[in-house]
């Protein structure tokens, strides 16, 4: 308690079980790494506030019970030429290969249904970039209570049919369609309004390690079905 | 037949040294991880410390084996150690972090905070 301001020795830090688990989860800082900020951060902070107290204890009365929620930001976006009152933008979301032991239980696109510009505002919705006949929306378990300015489209069935389980990197493309409410010239301001985190993908996962056969776990964690130390194995699973 | 009671530790009352849960907090800033751990700011793993008494009270949730091991230490062989003071129940922790890809991840980690202690 006398050294609260001093940095803990590295060997102490690595002995903390939480840190060992976190270091398995997240690779070291890379050149592409950027700190979280803006609307995605506000969205996830609200999710966190509803799910856990400030000390990190999960709340008993939380509306959803999953092991992990990942917010994915679009890797690319493209604005289509305006057609009448409609302003459309496509967003590409990179989907990482499915991690062993994690089951997708919900997928949703979170977006802002109303965008305000200086002299006008837009009413928006989102759609997957797909033929109407292949669209099967819904299917997910309940998410968290959204902040007032946000809406969600549940695309669990669509993701599970089209993308999951996936073994290689793929891209989900969605389009954000906005309709102008007033007949004024928006100029190029709408591009900026749509480009700034107007929509992102939210994936909910459950960890299925507990139900995985022990032999499969051994292979997964050590790469050697015969040579694993059972005690070490148990620690890594935890 | 159990022999006569003797003091646990000379100069200390059993209440002061008996196995119990102790608070311990560390910040992610202290660990150099504040750049990618968004919440919480502090991690409180806590710890268990203290001696295990000769008579294991029910509040310590010790199994029958711990009681037997205590008796063996007392009556048969002092080389057999008495039970150790270790965590009994844990609670999970929820963490909000930034991944290398720029994604933001909320995740619950089981068994990360010691909630009570036992002698076993």
């Amino acid at each position: 308690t006398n050294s609260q301001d001093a940095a803990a020795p590295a060997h102490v830090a690595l002995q903390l079980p939480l840190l060992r688990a976190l270091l398995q989860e997240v690779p070291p800082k890379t050149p592409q790494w950027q700190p979280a900020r803006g609307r995605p951060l506000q969205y996830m902070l609200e999710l966190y506030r509803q799910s856990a107290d400030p000390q990190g204890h999960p709340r008993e009365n939380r509306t959803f019970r999953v092991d992990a929620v990942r917010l994915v930001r679009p890797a690319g976006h493209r604005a289509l030429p305006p057609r009448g009152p409609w302003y459309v933008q496509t967003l590409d979301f990179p989907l990482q290969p499915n991690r062993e032991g994690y089951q997708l239980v919900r997928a949703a696109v979170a977006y802002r249904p109303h965008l305000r510009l200086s002299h006008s505002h837009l009413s928006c919705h989102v759609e997957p970039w797909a033929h109407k006949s292949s669209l099967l929306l819904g299917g997910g378990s309940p998410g968290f209570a959204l902040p007032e300015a946000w809406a969600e489209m549940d695309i669990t069935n669509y993701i599970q049919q089209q993308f999951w389980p996936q073994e290689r990197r793929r891209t989900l493309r969605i389009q954000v369609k906005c309709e102008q409410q007033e007949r004024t010239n928006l100029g190029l301001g709408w591009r900026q309004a749509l480009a700034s985190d107007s929509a992102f993908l939210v994936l909910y996962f459950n960890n299925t390690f507990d139900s995985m056969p022990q032999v499969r776990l051994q292979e997964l964690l050590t790469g050697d079905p015969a040579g694993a130390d059972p005690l070490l194995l148990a620690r890594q699973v935890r | 037949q159990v022999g006569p009671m003797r003091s646990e530790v000379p100069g200390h009352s059993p209440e002061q040294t008996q196995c119990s849960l102790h608070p311990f907090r560390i910040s992610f800033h202290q660990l150099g991880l504040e750049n990618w751990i968004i919440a919480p700011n502090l991690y409180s793993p806590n710890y268990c410390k203290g001696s295990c008494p000769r008579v294991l009270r029910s509040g310590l949730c010790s199994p029958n084996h711990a009681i037997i091991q205590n008796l063996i230490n007392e009556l048969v062989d002092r080389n057999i150690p008495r039970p150790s003071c270790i965590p009994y129940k844990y609670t999970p922790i929820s963490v909000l972090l930034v991944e290398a890809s720029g994604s933001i991840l909320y995740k619950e980690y089981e068994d990360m905070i010691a909630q009570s202690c036992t002698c076993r």
Side-chain angles (χ1 to χ4, degrees):
Chain A
T1 54
N2 293 332
S3 59
Q4 287 290 315
D5 296 330
H11 70 276
V12 173
L14 289 175
Q15 286 173 13
L16 291 172
L18 174 61
L19 299 182
R20 285 193 299 186
L22 287 173
L23 290 172
Q24 287 177 0
E25 196 70 43
V26 182
K29 192 185 290 188
T30 62
Q32 294 82 28
W33 187 89
Q34 290 183 339
R37 58 176 178 268
R39 289 171 181 163
L41 176 60
Q42 295 304 317
Y43 185 92
M44 290 301 279
L45 280 174
E46 176 62 24
L47 181 145
Y48 187 87
R49 191 187 64 77
Q50 291 184 26
S51 309
D53 67 17
Q55 287 74 45
H57 303 125
R59 295 189 191 280
E60 282 297 319
N61 60 350
R62 57 195 187 278
T63 52
F64 64 92
R65 288 181 181 270
V66 294
D67 297 311
V69 183
R70 173 174 286 114
L71 181 146
V72 182
R73 299 175 67 176
H77 58 88
R78 186 168 68 93
L80 304 182
R83 299 181 67 177
W86 288 98
Y87 295 82
V88 180
Q89 176 180 240
T90 63
L91 300 176
D92 291 336
F93 294 94
L95 295 175
Q96 304 292 339
N98 191 21
R99 289 189 58 182
E100 285 274 8
Y102 281 88
Q103 178 192 15
L104 180 74
V105 295
R106 184 170 200 266
V109 178
Y111 64 99
R112 296 171 68 85
H114 303 290
L115 294 177
R116 294 183 186 280
L117 293 104
S118 56
H119 301 294
S120 182
H121 70 276
L122 303 171
S123 295
C124 305
H125 68 277
V126 296
E127 293 176 2
W129 185 273
H131 292 294
K132 297 287 183 189
S133 59
S134 66
L135 275 180
L136 180 59
L137 301 179
S141 52
F144 80 106
L146 289 173
E148 191 176 340
W150 291 91
E152 268 190 358
M153 181 179 63
D154 187 334
I155 57 168
T156 309
N157 282 335
Y158 177 71
I159 289 271
Q160 286 178 334
Q161 282 189 350
Q162 303 291 325
F163 296 91
W164 228 266
Q166 61 170 41
E167 296 176 352
R168 59 186 174 85
R169 191 181 175 95
R170 293 180 64 182
T171 299
L172 167 71
R173 176 168 288 182
I174 67 155
Q175 51 186 344
V176 182
K177 290 185 170 180
C178 295
E179 184 179 17
Q180 186 185 7
Q181 298 302 300
E182 303 87 1
R183 292 188 177 277
T184 58
N185 184 9
L186 293 182
L188 297 176
W190 69 276
R191 289 176 183 268
Q192 184 65 32
L194 280 182
S196 57
D197 294 320
S198 57
F200 40 79
L201 181 64
V202 187
L203 303 172
Y204 294 68
F205 297 95
N206 264 339
N207 186 339
T208 57
F209 267 125
D210 290 344
S211 58
M212 196 175 283
Q214 191 71 4
V215 172
R216 181 71 192 91
L217 266 177
Q218 198 162 303
E219 288 178 23
L220 179 65
L221 294 172
T222 67
D224 178 9
D229 173 359
L231 186 60
L232 177 64
L233 181 67
R235 288 201 194 108
Q236 288 183 340
V237 171
R238 175 170 291 163
Chain B
Q1 184 176 355
V2 180
M5 300 285 284
R6 56 183 165 78
S7 64
E8 297 291 330
V9 178
H12 291 81
S13 68
E15 289 75 20
Q16 285 178 312
T17 61
Q18 190 162 305
C19 175
S20 61
L21 184 69
H22 295 258
F24 176 73
R25 294 194 310 177
I26 190 164
S27 71
F28 289 111
H29 177 76
Q30 284 175 276
L31 297 167
L33 303 174
E34 75 278 11
N35 281 334
W36 52 280
I37 302 286
I38 302 170
N41 292 326
L42 296 173
Y43 173 38
S44 305
N46 303 328
Y47 65 97
C48 293
K49 185 180 180 182
S51 61
C52 289
R54 293 175 62 225
V55 179
L56 295 168
R57 58 184 168 82
S58 60
L60 286 171
C61 300
S62 296
N64 289 338
H65 174 269
I67 297 168
I68 298 299
Q69 186 167 328
N70 230 352
L71 288 172
I72 291 172
N73 165 269
E74 183 72 22
L75 302 175
V76 181
D77 187 346
R78 286 293 168 93
N79 292 319
I80 305 299
R82 282 161 64 167
S84 301
C85 175
I86 58 171
Y88 178 62
K89 284 186 177 176
Y90 300 91
T91 57
I93 187 171
S94 297
V95 174
L96 193 63
L97 57 90
V98 187
E99 297 179 295
S101 62
S103 301
I104 304 175
L105 181 68
Y106 166 90
K107 191 165 181 185
E108 294 180 11
Y109 293 89
E110 292 294 327
D111 300 338
M112 289 298 178
I113 299 171
Q115 193 181 33
S116 62
C117 302
T118 184
C119 287
R120 59 176 59 196

